[in-house]
Amino acid sequence: MGILQAGIGAASSVLADSWREYFYCDAMPADTLAVKASKRTGKGSSNTKGNDNIISNGSILAVADGQCMIIVDQGKVTEICAEPGEFVYDVSTEPSLFYGSLSENIKETFKKIGKRISFGGDTGNDQRVYYINTKDIIGNKYGTANPVPFRVIDKNIGLDVDISIRCHGEYSYKIVDPILFYTNLCGNFQGVYKRENIESQLKSELLTALQPAFAKLSETGVRYSALPGHTNEIADALNEVLSAKWGNTYGIKISTFGINSVNASEEDEKMIKDLQKSAVYTNPNMAAATLVGAQAQAMQDAAKNTSAGPMMAFAGMNMAQQAGGANAGNLFAMGQQAQAAPQNAPQMQPQSQGGWTCSCGTANNGNFCSNCGQPRPSSDWTCSCGSVNNGKFCSNCGKPRP
């Protein structure tokens, strides 16, 4: 009796699954990463009793823009399609009486009935269709709860110091390898797979990668206050740091990276401003201008001094100036000398070779006569004492060159 019921169940299930299905996926919201396909069955459809995890041979799968369809047969990805349009699945192990050769399909149907009897009338097969969202997943917020180290480099003043910054904003990512995403992240699921399932993990790994990404950018001399203007470079640096994890494991790539604000601590900002201000004074003209401004302000303050009197205030200021320190006039003179030094630098003149006169009477500078081609005579001469010399006097006996 049980075998008879299994046979009847197997036959009815095979016939119910022999209808060709039409799989589709509605528009996926921004927070949806993947969704299981839906079968289209209208009010008058007879295809209402088939198994949801069976794909009959000849079934049609519709793929829209921004979607990637994958077919999983017995737990393994067997088909993938990312081009918009219709995809006909004609290599299914589940036969259909309405696609291909009828006689061949009848044979395969009876074989399938026999197989399902051994499973008590059940299918003994699992086939699924998933749609992966390949559009940009936008609106992912991030923020550094703890300060992130940032190296400040200013080659103009020789500054190289590490500070701590905080930043927050939004970024977007994109699924570029649906097979890796399905294999290593979502796997088999029912219904919808949303970004909230992996949001916490991605945010943690992103904040960890910010430090080396900022280090790469700081080496180019970009200041921390200018980071919002270099978001493309930050996205490239993050992809380079995260490529082994996100790209090669998750199949995800950062598309855009936005920074709403970036701030350093008050102590670090004050330190940088003081160092930059001090570096300005290495220019004598700037130092002289600052000194003149300070002296003018001191004179105004002295004139307003009513307690000791203006005369005593000016006397104190003159004593402080005579005690030592920089003088505005001397600083301006140093600046003018520094500007004039490059202009007055002596230019090197090319050193010309000594000339010689050939026996034909032609004056030459090279090693051969330009008129007759004879070689330049050797400058060496032999003294009567036997010494070979180059100068005008013999280095041995002191006789002049003949």
Side-chain angles (χ1 to χ4, degrees):
M1 189 65 179
I3 296 178
L4 180 60
Q5 289 180 350
I8 295 174
S12 61
S13 66
V14 169
L15 293 176
D17 290 333
S18 66
W19 297 101
R20 296 175 64 189
E21 291 95 359
Y22 185 89
F23 292 92
Y24 70 100
C25 175
D26 289 327
M28 286 186 277
D31 62 341
T32 299
L33 302 181
V35 64
K36 189 178 180 182
S38 302
K39 289 183 181 181
R40 176 164 293 173
T41 54
K43 293 182 179 180
S45 175
S46 300
N47 186 14
T48 57
K49 297 182 180 180
N51 193 300
D52 290 339
N53 291 338
I54 292 296
I55 309 172
S56 300
N57 199 38
S59 295
I60 295 177
L61 303 97
V63 182
D65 285 319
Q67 297 177 353
C68 178
M69 179 275 300
I70 62 173
I71 297 178
V72 181
D73 193 344
Q74 298 292 74
K76 182 179 181 181
V77 178
T78 57
E79 297 288 343
I80 181 171
C81 179
E83 296 183 5
E86 286 187 353
F87 180 85
V88 180
Y89 188 51
D90 55 1
V91 292
S92 177
T93 57
E94 296 294 331
S96 173
L97 295 174
F98 308 101
Y99 184 81
S101 173
L102 180 60
S103 60
E104 197 66 32
N105 288 333
I106 292 175
K107 293 180 182 179
E108 293 297 326
T109 299
F110 278 105
K111 290 181 181 179
K112 187 60 64 176
I113 291 175
K115 178 181 178 181
R116 292 194 181 186
I117 290 176
S118 64
F119 285 95
D122 203 355
T123 61
N125 198 5
D126 186 84
Q127 297 173 318
R128 300 166 183 251
V129 180
Y130 293 108
Y131 287 89
I132 308 297
N133 190 352
T134 57
K135 300 189 296 292
D136 282 348
I137 310 300
I138 61 176
N140 303 281
K141 300 182 183 299
Y142 74 92
T144 55
N146 298 318
V148 178
F150 187 84
R151 183 183 179 189
V152 178
I153 299 176
D154 192 341
K155 297 181 180 179
N156 295 327
I157 63 174
L159 177 64
D160 188 348
V161 63
D162 290 333
I163 65 172
S164 298
I165 63 174
R166 297 176 183 268
C167 63
H168 71 275
E170 295 183 354
Y171 71 98
S172 65
Y173 60 86
K174 187 175 183 179
I175 300 175
V176 294
D177 195 326
I179 295 180
L180 285 178
F181 178 80
Y182 171 81
T183 304
N184 297 324
L185 278 181
C186 63
N188 280 352
F189 62 91
Q190 292 289 341
V192 178
Y193 189 87
K194 294 182 175 292
R195 68 176 172 186
E196 62 187 24
N197 296 338
I198 61 172
E199 185 175 13
S200 177
Q201 179 69 22
L202 294 183
K203 184 183 296 185
S204 176
E205 294 179 1
L206 176 75
L207 295 179
T208 303
L210 268 181
Q211 182 173 345
F214 282 165
K216 290 180 179 291
L217 202 61
S218 64
E219 290 177 356
T220 63
V222 176
R223 298 183 179 181
Y224 73 93
S225 57
L227 287 177
H230 296 269
T231 54
N232 291 334
E233 291 86 343
I234 296 175
D236 294 339
L238 284 173
N239 281 323
E240 184 178 351
V241 175
L242 294 171
S243 61
K245 187 67 174 178
W246 286 21
N248 300 335
T249 305
Y250 299 155
I252 292 176
K253 180 181 179 181
I254 293 178
S255 301
T256 58
F257 186 85
I259 297 178
N260 293 337
S261 66
V262 54
N263 299 306
S265 63
E266 295 182 0
E267 295 80 5
D268 289 338
E269 288 184 351
K270 184 178 183 303
M271 175 190 64
I272 294 175
K273 291 179 180 179
D274 291 343
L275 291 174
Q276 291 174 339
K277 185 183 296 184
S278 300
V280 171
Y281 297 149
T282 58
N283 185 330
N285 289 329
M286 294 296 295
T290 305
L291 181 59
V292 169
Q295 290 175 348
Q297 184 63 41
M299 293 176 66
Q300 294 177 7
D301 294 340
K304 298 177 183 178
N305 192 340
T306 58
S307 60
M311 185 63 66
M312 293 297 296
F314 278 115
M317 185 179 68
N318 292 331
M319 291 177 62
Q321 185 175 1
Q322 293 175 2
N327 181 275
N330 295 336
L331 290 174
F332 277 122
M334 291 173 58
Q336 292 176 357
Q337 291 177 1
Q339 293 177 355
Q343 300 177 359
N344 298 332
Q347 298 182 353
M348 298 296 294
Q349 298 293 336
Q351 184 177 2
S352 60
Q353 296 180 352
W356 59 281
T357 302
C358 182
S359 58
C360 66
T362 304
N364 303 280
N365 289 322
N367 293 327
F368 294 90
C369 178
S370 61
N371 183 34
C372 64
Q374 291 186 6
R376 180 175 181 172
S378 175
S379 60
D380 297 340
W381 58 280
T382 304
C383 181
S384 59
C385 67
S387 299
V388 179
N389 303 279
N390 290 322
K392 296 181 179 180
F393 295 91
C394 177
S395 60
N396 183 34
C397 63
K399 290 183 179 181
R401 180 174 182 171

